[in-house]
Amino acid sequence: MRDINAKNGIEESFVDADQHKPANSIVIQAGYSAPYLYLLDEDIQRRLTKVKTYSQRKLTAVSRAIFDGHGQGRRDEFKPWIRIRRNFSSPVSNQVFESVGIHKRNHHFLSYLEYHTALQIAYLGAEELRECLPMWPYPHPHPDQEFDNDSQRPPDTICGLMEIAKNAGIDHGCFVGTKVPYIGTIDMLAAVKSGDTRHLVGVSCKPAEIILQSARAKERVELDRRYCQAIGAEHILESGKGFNQMLLQQFIWLRPLTSEIRSHRGTTRLKEFSAAFEAFAAERPICDAALAAGRVCQMDSSEAFLNWRLGIWLHHIDIDLTRRIQMTKPIRRGRDGVLAKLRTRYLGGNHA
């Protein structure tokens, strides 16, 4: 997208015409998945003289967003298409600007439903999670494509959402008041490693009441599903029904920092601590077992409890997180059962 803009020579003159407009008004106009405008193809400059001023202002704002890299990048460098900004509010949900321990950046979750879904996917072992990922209207590189400046292989191309919508008999839609196709977004696309298999998972986070009350919401979910099918991803419609609230609370409490995970994952020291804790926990309360394991590994209490949290998050320690952890009482096992249910929910099939 950057190259297209640079080739058109338009990036120097673009100013964000919406920078003083409350973001919520854009979200409401665009619909629940909050699509924005799409920068038209290479003859945009010629055609801009023929469109209404309103359309031109919107195209200018969206062109600037694309040039700035929004909706693009991978892993730590990804920028979501929709960002939580000053004056950003929602009539239907609360936004969360938070990390879930996968990347060295905070995610822009537009609801607690998205945040809680991401926490569960992170605990499963997600390697990458992109929120508010554009499903571009026109043909574009596969979203799982790795871009290497030295690579001579052309990127795999995916048909645009406009073609997918046409084949489904669904109106793709334009930004209100224009004939410009919007940019639809899927709430999140995650890459999750389970055993030797890497799963690509697209998630539509939609409360059940919204799906029931809105025909357009049903169409949007169907477009998400068909887009996931086109890119070879599993599609999940997540309503939040059946979420275990204790599990979510303990994820929020226990989740280590991304830097801590990257520094300690796979280290001998973490493995030795976890093994020692498991042995002590067979006959001691959780707190005593963690301190004893720390002494064996020559750790102070702070380092010992950090490794305890890391051991749980990285599945080295067998503990049932759906039941409240009581540090002065014996550990309650059940890690594998929790993971099996999450794998079934988000990866499909039987992954026990």
Side-chain angles (χ1 to χ4, degrees):
M1 292 301 172
R2 288 174 183 264
D3 292 341
I4 292 175
N5 291 322
K7 181 166 60 178
N8 289 333
I10 57 179
E11 69 275 15
E12 295 295 336
S13 62
F14 279 155
V15 177
D16 188 351
D18 268 353
Q19 60 184 337
H20 300 301
K21 183 176 182 181
N24 183 51
S25 64
I26 301 174
V27 174
I28 293 174
Q29 288 174 355
Y32 185 78
S33 293
Y36 279 68
L37 286 171
Y38 182 69
L39 177 61
L40 296 180
D41 52 21
E42 295 180 4
D43 63 345
I44 182 172
Q45 282 186 304
R46 175 173 56 82
R47 286 194 281 166
L48 276 176
T49 61
K50 301 179 182 180
V51 300
K52 296 179 180 178
T53 301
Y54 178 76
S55 296
Q56 184 172 345
R57 289 177 63 243
K58 294 301 179 183
L59 284 170
T60 297
V62 173
S63 300
R64 182 58 179 268
I66 293 173
F67 179 75
D68 287 344
H70 294 290
Q72 302 159 66
R74 298 295 301 270
R75 302 177 180 85
D76 293 349
E77 305 304 320
F78 175 73
K79 294 182 179 181
W81 185 248
I82 305 168
R83 292 85 64 201
I84 298 174
R85 298 176 292 174
R86 185 185 303 174
N87 297 326
F88 194 108
S89 62
S90 169
V92 297
S93 62
N94 296 311
Q95 290 83 39
V96 180
F97 184 61
E98 185 60 90
S99 169
V100 292
I102 301 174
H103 302 301
K104 281 188 174 181
R105 65 178 180 89
N106 280 8
H107 295 271
H108 295 249
F109 298 119
L110 304 185
S111 67
Y112 276 118
L113 175 58
E114 292 184 15
Y115 176 44
H116 292 161
T117 299
L119 278 169
Q120 294 173 93
I121 291 174
Y123 178 66
L124 268 180
E127 301 174 334
E128 182 177 19
L129 189 146
R130 287 172 282 177
E131 72 280 17
C132 293
L133 179 73
M135 301 180 290
W136 304 105
Y138 303 111
H140 55 278
H142 192 289
D144 205 34
Q145 182 82 31
E146 293 285 1
F147 293 96
D148 185 345
N149 292 333
D150 297 327
S151 175
Q152 300 300 313
R153 188 174 75 87
D156 298 327
T157 301
I158 299 300
C159 65
L161 192 63
M162 289 182 68
E163 180 179 337
I164 292 173
K166 180 180 179 180
N167 293 337
I170 295 173
D171 178 27
H172 179 276
C174 298
F175 196 84
V176 174
T178 77
K179 294 183 180 180
V180 182
Y182 68 68
I183 298 178
T185 60
I186 188 164
D187 294 322
M188 62 186 72
L189 184 71
V192 183
K193 193 76 175 294
S194 179
D196 295 328
T197 304
R198 182 177 181 272
H199 299 264
L200 197 61
V201 183
V203 185
S204 304
C205 293
K206 302 290 184 287
E209 55 270 22
I210 289 181
I211 300 297
L212 291 173
Q213 295 173 10
S214 170
R216 185 55 176 166
K218 293 185 181 72
E219 292 179 341
R220 295 302 306 280
V221 170
E222 177 61 14
L223 290 180
D224 288 356
R225 187 191 69 80
R226 287 175 178 253
Y227 184 80
C228 286
Q229 186 179 52
I231 64 174
E234 181 83 18
H235 176 254
I236 303 297
L237 172 57
E238 181 57 88
S239 68
K241 182 179 180 180
F243 275 2
N244 186 295
Q245 295 304 312
M246 180 57 66
L247 180 68
L248 295 173
Q249 290 173 24
Q250 298 196 136
F251 280 163
I252 294 169
W253 168 45
L254 292 166
R255 179 190 58 79
L257 300 175
T258 303
S259 57
E260 294 169 341
I261 294 172
R262 293 183 179 181
S263 296
H264 294 79
R265 186 197 301 271
T267 62
T268 300
R269 192 164 176 80
L270 175 59
K271 292 177 181 177
E272 289 178 347
F273 172 87
S274 299
F277 172 83
E278 290 285 76
F280 285 120
E283 53 189 33
R284 302 188 188 189
I286 293 174
C287 184
D288 292 350
L291 292 172
R295 287 191 293 270
V296 168
C297 297
Q298 298 184 326
M299 300 177 181
D300 61 23
S301 60
S302 177
E303 186 179 0
F305 283 109
L306 169 60
N307 277 269
W308 176 73
R309 290 190 297 114
L310 284 162
I312 292 174
W313 192 259
L314 297 175
H315 311 158
H316 296 307
I317 292 174
D318 181 3
I319 187 170
D320 182 358
L321 294 179
T322 64
R323 304 170 73 182
R324 181 168 173 265
I325 295 174
Q326 296 177 281
M327 299 298 289
T328 58
K329 294 187 176 181
I331 195 169
R332 291 184 282 195
R333 307 296 188 178
R335 169 201 59 200
D336 294 344
V338 173
L339 286 170
K341 289 180 180 178
L342 291 176
R343 290 185 185 114
T344 299
R345 186 174 190 122
Y346 292 111
L347 306 184
N350 184 7
H351 296 272

